[in-house]
Amino acid sequence: MFDYRSLRVALLGAGTVGAQVARLLLEESDELANRIGARLELVGIAVRDVDAPRDVDLPRELFTTDAERLILGADIVVELMGGLEPARSLVLQAIGSGADVVTANKALLATHGVEIFDLAEQVGAQVAYEAAVAGAIPIIRPLSESLAGDRVERIVAILNGTTNFILDRMDSTGETLEESLAIATELGYAEADPTADIEGYDAAQKAALLASLAFHTTVPLDQVHREGITTVDAAQVDSAKKQGYVVKLVAVCERVPGEDGTERISVRTHPALIDGRHPLAAVHGANNAVFVEAAAAGQLMFYGAGAGGPQTASAVLGDLVAVARRHVVGGPGLVASDHAALPIVPIGDICTSSQITLEVADRAGVLAEIAGVFAANGVSVARLEQSTDPNTGRATLVIGTHAARERALADTVAALSQSSAVVAVASVLRVEGTK
Amino acid sequence: MFDYRSLRVALLGAGTVGAQVARLLLEESDELANRIGARLELVGIAVRDVDAPRDVDLPRELFTTDAERLILGADIVVELMGGLEPARSLVLQAIGSGADVVTANKALLATHGVEIFDLAEQVGAQVAYEAAVAGAIPIIRPLSESLAGDRVERIVAILNGTTNFILDRMDSTGETLEESLAIATELGYAEADPTADIEGYDAAQKAALLASLAFHTTVPLDQVHREGITTVDAAQVDSAKKQGYVVKLVAVCERVPGEDGTERISVRTHPALIDGRHPLAAVHGANNAVFVEAAAAGQLMFYGAGAGGPQTASAVLGDLVAVARRHVVGGPGLVASDHAALPIVPIGDICTSSQITLEVADRAGVLAEIAGVFAANGVSVARLEQSTDPNTGRATLVIGTHAARERALADTVAALSQSSAVVAVASVLRVEGTK
């Protein structure tokens, strides 16, 4: 194992996300070190109650209630406590002491972002917050880096999984808001007190962060027009559906040209009718999606899980790696690492499901002979459909296979084309996507 | 204007993408400087024929045929020539002379990537290639940075716009491959010689690059199983449709566990049946999409335009900004820039389209009175639908408005709720998404 230098990581909070981040840092330590060119050393986890039960078994010696002391000995501080205080004070302390900060705290940044970013800029610290918006979906980094050479015109986004789950359920079941909320709570998509989600506070905070990035303008939270979904009832959802719409809670961030040609922006979140054919209409359950329109890039969409312990932890880890790489001069960060050097399997050894369409002879015994070819080659048949074209009298057999080794499949197809039961092999297509 | 240091940018090639990159560098010079903390100075454009007609009017003095000399005087070299030579030699020369490289050349990297990345790692140069895969869609940076803390299990992607356009057209029109290809050529989605796209060479190169990144393993192009769409006919597309599938040319990059528990990978591109409900099935026209499954993040999808001058230029510019920011110590690159400081428009001044559902009185003159309220407030009605519930006798009016100032809309709704013609305002929903 190459002897990497260490970067000391302090974790504040060990809840749903924090526990997953700690787990990944410990379990994937070597792999992360290979990817970064330095080792991320988890030096401690600050919590309120050292003895509280955790989602993950973590070494007890890592836990402490002394967050301030922990921060002093850290190169990178990961803030996953949530809330405004003491998160704000601890984040400012971390930056002031020379540490970089990774956070998932949208409320903190939407409320105290200016103060935090200003201090970070003064001291040259990094503040990364991919996990604060849209869970696992990379959107902060794409907006601030990938689209940094472009001009973002408009963002329409579904940023709150709780409300999307509820509205999607209302749309598919005809339930009332209260009924769907009850299901959401039962399944863990809504918290005991769902106000922040239902009333649009969560979406508004995220909208403020996205708009600030997209338009290079600080967007104060109180200038974001906020509406939740409490006014949406089953009748509205039904009426929307009849007209080819779906009701979604969306965040809209857009440029609004002034009459005098000046540039202005609008940031708002509210329920809206979305055309059923729009990509955002296909965002189901608790998923999030960010639809971006940029001057050169055109229309882009980023889609995925908006929340969840492992999902949000993925975003935190991505930020940790990026932040850490900047401390490594000439490390693999600049050039993609190929350290894994995994063997590549030739196609013959790959297992795939396929659909084979055969034009078959019009006589008895055809099915048995064809089934025999599959059996002889060890390819299991999952579905079979026979049809005869009334005009031509031609008989077609469509066979769907279970996953089988490609080599066996190729042998099967070769044997079928030789078989007197088969007039022609019309098509062989692999089935992909659903696993 | 703040006095920024300059970074000298040399452009190799001024074709469809190159011309757009040059245009953006010149037109957006100040804005880019504000975002980077340094000025990108376009010092020259190397082409084969200085007098050839260009998509964009560019200053003649920028053009030169002496690429090697141009490279010597550059900090960042943007390679948009395409092809293997002289692109390879010039890129190696650029790196060797201490310049960073930004390229869109998938063929070059899929073929000579090892040599190029090795040299870059030795000298500490950056090589960025977001534009080489999936056009405007950020995928290289998300894979190499945002998901750098996660474990990518599988990628299923539509990476070639030409073939997706053709297959999508076959699906919606019932045309043959030849007919759809002819339309694609006519509309500029296919080149005069479409072999690279139709035969899957383009998709295979991109698959090799994505897999190399995702699995931290160099994937040689000759180990990518490649099939194009030449075997796909109208009958297969029709049969697929009847069974709820669509035929797509997909790139599949996945981990394949060995029987002994070893790690292996598979990289391939071929036509496949995709379930009609899968997000990839909703990728139409010449768009691309990359569907990623990662251990912690779960399922993510990145979607957008796969090609085009401005679209690919967006990716090039994003790379240029990222590469340039690394040269700026303590610049705005670390913290989001808020230099634009745009005014935020209050909701009352925003123009939106809305749908208003009214429960109306069951008497004559209702429609005229309600229409009068809209007219009095300057809100133009786009659609109107009246219906009566046979059970309750209740009359409902659903009105869709043209874009109107929110203040006028709010006044309209207030007046309606006061009107004797209206029993109740059942719903007011803004219509978003389609502009």
Side-chain angles (χ1 to χ4, degrees):
Chain A
M1 180 81 253
F2 188 77
D3 195 21
Y4 293 115
R5 65 169 277 205
S6 277
L7 289 163
R8 299 159 301 169
V9 178
L11 190 52
L12 308 180
T16 312
V17 181
Q20 296 301 324
V21 171
R23 176 183 67 83
L24 288 167
L25 283 174
L26 295 171
E27 286 180 4
E28 303 295 329
S29 183
D30 287 349
E31 179 61 23
L32 290 169
N34 281 332
R35 293 181 189 182
I36 298 167
R39 183 169 294 278
L40 291 177
E41 189 193 341
L42 181 56
V43 294
I45 309 173
V47 294
R48 268 175 306 210
D49 178 0
V50 192
D51 296 306
R54 306 280 165 199
D55 292 339
V56 177
D57 262 330
L58 298 164
R60 206 179 183 291
E61 61 268 21
L62 281 176
F63 287 92
T64 174
T65 53
D66 196 341
E68 293 177 358
R69 182 166 187 162
L70 182 65
I71 287 172
L72 285 174
D75 299 304
I76 307 172
V77 173
V78 183
E79 186 273 300
L80 297 172
M81 305 161 49
L84 297 183
E85 286 291 356
R88 170 187 160 277
S89 298
L90 292 172
V91 164
L92 291 172
Q93 183 204 325
I95 295 172
S97 76
D100 296 317
V101 169
V102 175
T103 178
N105 200 332
K106 62 204 75 69
L108 176 67
L109 294 176
T111 312
H112 298 295
V114 175
E115 183 182 19
I116 290 169
F117 291 130
D118 277 355
L119 181 63
E121 194 174 350
Q122 279 178 48
V123 310
Q126 306 177 65
V127 175
Y129 54 101
E130 186 68 74
V133 183
I137 313 171
I139 186 60
I140 299 297
R141 200 164 293 278
L143 270 179
S144 64
E145 295 185 15
S146 307
L147 290 170
D150 208 330
R151 179 184 156 92
V152 174
E153 300 287 355
R154 189 158 196 266
I155 294 173
V156 183
I158 294 170
L159 297 173
N160 182 270
T162 304
T163 45
N164 196 66
F165 176 87
I166 291 170
L167 292 172
D168 192 36
R169 211 183 143 83
M170 288 173 74
D171 181 79
S172 55
T173 66
E175 282 170 1
T176 64
L177 180 78
E178 292 70 26
E179 289 169 337
S180 290
L181 171 57
I183 300 291
T185 311
E186 202 178 303
L187 294 175
Y189 289 117
E191 306 191 16
D193 176 5
T195 310
D197 298 313
I198 302 295
E199 297 277 12
Y201 288 103
D202 177 79
Q205 290 162 0
K206 293 165 178 173
L209 296 181
L210 289 188
S212 296
L213 260 185
F215 306 127
H216 304 284
T217 293
T218 299
V219 175
L221 197 44
D222 60 11
Q223 294 202 41
V224 177
H225 174 81
R226 174 194 55 80
E227 286 175 44
I229 63 169
T230 51
T231 57
V232 179
D233 61 28
Q236 290 182 28
V237 172
D238 183 60
S239 169
K241 201 170 190 170
K242 287 192 168 84
Q243 300 184 55
Y245 288 112
V246 289
V247 180
K248 293 290 192 191
L249 182 72
V250 291
V252 180
C253 315
E254 62 180 354
R255 293 185 188 270
V256 183
E259 275 135 8
D260 49 359
T262 55
E263 287 218 43
R264 307 174 306 163
I265 59 174
S266 162
V267 188
R268 56 193 192 263
T269 178
H270 53 71
L273 294 169
I274 301 290
D275 191 305
R277 295 157 303 178
H278 192 281
L280 286 177
V283 179
H284 299 295
N287 286 313
N288 285 187
V290 183
F291 190 81
V292 179
E293 293 182 36
Q299 297 180 343
L300 303 171
M301 194 166 85
F302 303 83
Y303 161 96
Q311 293 86 341
T312 309
S314 170
V316 172
L317 265 290
D319 273 350
L320 266 169
V321 170
V323 164
R325 276 173 172 167
R326 279 179 179 262
H327 291 274
V328 181
V329 178
L334 293 177
V335 169
S337 164
D338 61 354
H339 65 272
L342 300 175
I344 300 163
V345 183
I347 191 70
D349 292 332
I350 297 299
C351 284
T352 56
S353 297
S354 285
Q355 185 169 273
I356 302 169
T357 305
L358 306 171
E359 214 187 294
V360 295
D362 191 19
R363 60 167 172 76
V366 149
L367 202 57
E369 286 172 49
I370 287 170
V373 173
F374 279 89
N377 285 283
V379 178
S380 180
V381 172
R383 294 176 316 283
L384 194 144
E385 197 181 303
Q386 190 159 11
S387 59
T388 305
D389 187 322
N391 299 324
T392 62
R394 198 166 286 159
T396 305
L397 205 57
V398 179
I399 300 140
T401 75
H402 282 297
R405 218 165 276 285
E406 286 256 335
R407 188 168 296 120
L409 210 74
D411 290 346
T412 303
V413 172
L416 286 169
S417 54
Q418 299 296 319
S419 164
S420 63
V422 174
V423 173
V425 177
S427 148
V428 180
L429 280 169
R430 296 175 185 84
V431 181
E432 288 288 353
T434 39
K435 286 223 159 175
Chain B
M1 181 79 254
F2 189 79
D3 196 20
Y4 292 117
R5 65 170 278 206
S6 278
L7 289 164
R8 298 161 300 170
V9 178
L11 189 52
L12 307 181
T16 312
V17 181
Q20 296 302 325
V21 171
R23 176 182 66 82
L24 288 167
L25 283 173
L26 295 170
E27 287 178 3
E28 303 296 328
S29 183
D30 286 349
E31 178 62 22
L32 289 169
N34 282 331
R35 295 180 187 182
I36 298 167
R39 184 170 295 278
L40 291 178
E41 189 193 341
L42 180 57
V43 294
I45 310 172
V47 294
R48 267 177 306 213
D49 177 2
V50 191
D51 297 305
R54 307 280 164 197
D55 292 340
V56 176
D57 263 332
L58 298 163
R60 205 180 183 294
E61 61 268 21
L62 280 175
F63 288 91
T64 174
T65 53
D66 195 341
E68 293 176 358
R69 183 166 184 163
L70 182 65
I71 286 171
L72 284 173
D75 299 305
I76 306 172
V77 173
V78 183
E79 187 273 301
L80 296 172
M81 304 160 50
L84 298 182
E85 285 290 359
R88 171 187 160 278
S89 297
L90 292 173
V91 163
L92 290 171
Q93 183 203 324
I95 296 171
S97 75
D100 295 317
V101 168
V102 175
T103 177
N105 200 330
K106 63 205 77 66
L108 176 67
L109 293 176
T111 312
H112 298 296
V114 175
E115 183 182 18
I116 290 169
F117 290 129
D118 277 355
L119 182 63
E121 194 174 350
Q122 278 178 47
V123 308
Q126 305 176 66
V127 175
Y129 53 102
E130 185 68 73
V133 182
I137 314 170
I139 185 60
I140 298 297
R141 202 163 290 278
L143 270 180
S144 64
E145 296 185 14
S146 307
L147 290 170
D150 207 329
R151 178 185 157 91
V152 174
E153 300 287 354
R154 190 159 197 264
I155 294 174
V156 184
I158 294 170
L159 298 172
N160 182 271
T162 303
T163 46
N164 196 66
F165 176 88
I166 290 170
L167 292 172
D168 192 37
R169 214 186 139 81
M170 288 173 74
D171 181 79
S172 55
T173 66
E175 283 172 357
T176 64
L177 180 78
E178 292 70 26
E179 289 169 338
S180 290
L181 171 58
I183 300 292
T185 311
E186 203 178 304
L187 294 175
Y189 290 117
E191 307 193 16
D193 176 6
T195 311
D197 299 313
I198 302 294
E199 296 278 11
Y201 288 103
D202 177 80
Q205 290 162 0
K206 293 164 177 174
L209 296 181
L210 289 187
S212 296
L213 261 184
F215 307 127
H216 304 284
T217 294
T218 300
V219 175
L221 197 45
D222 60 11
Q223 295 203 40
V224 177
H225 173 80
R226 175 194 56 78
E227 285 174 45
I229 63 168
T230 51
T231 56
V232 179
D233 61 27
Q236 291 181 30
V237 171
D238 183 61
S239 168
K241 201 171 190 171
K242 288 193 167 83
Q243 301 184 54
Y245 289 112
V246 289
V247 180
K248 294 290 193 190
L249 181 73
V250 292
V252 179
C253 314
E254 61 180 354
R255 294 185 187 269
V256 183
E259 275 135 8
D260 50 358
T262 55
E263 288 217 42
R264 306 174 307 161
I265 60 173
S266 163
V267 188
R268 56 193 192 263
T269 177
H270 54 71
L273 295 170
I274 300 290
D275 192 303
R277 295 157 304 179
H278 192 282
L280 285 178
V283 179
H284 299 294
N287 286 313
N288 285 185
V290 183
F291 190 81
V292 179
E293 294 181 35
Q299 296 182 343
L300 303 171
M301 193 166 86
F302 303 82
Y303 161 95
Q311 293 87 339
T312 310
S314 170
V316 172
L317 264 291
D319 272 350
L320 265 170
V321 170
V323 163
R325 277 174 172 165
R326 280 180 178 262
H327 290 275
V328 181
V329 177
L334 294 176
V335 170
S337 165
D338 61 354
H339 65 274
L342 301 176
I344 300 163
V345 183
I347 191 69
D349 291 333
I350 297 299
C351 285
T352 56
S353 297
S354 286
Q355 185 169 274
I356 302 170
T357 305
L358 306 170
E359 213 188 294
V360 296
D362 189 22
R363 60 167 172 77
V366 149
L367 202 56
E369 285 172 49
I370 287 170
V373 173
F374 279 88
N377 285 283
V379 177
S380 180
V381 172
R383 295 176 315 281
L384 194 146
E385 197 180 303
Q386 191 159 8
S387 59
T388 306
D389 187 323
N391 298 326
T392 64
R394 198 165 287 159
T396 304
L397 205 59
V398 179
I399 300 138
T401 76
H402 281 298
R405 218 165 276 285
E406 286 259 334
R407 186 168 296 121
L409 211 74
D411 291 346
T412 302
V413 172
L416 285 169
S417 53
Q418 299 296 318
S419 164
S420 64
V422 175
V423 173
V425 178
S427 149
V428 181
L429 280 169
R430 296 175 185 85
V431 181
E432 289 287 354
T434 38
K435 287 221 159 177

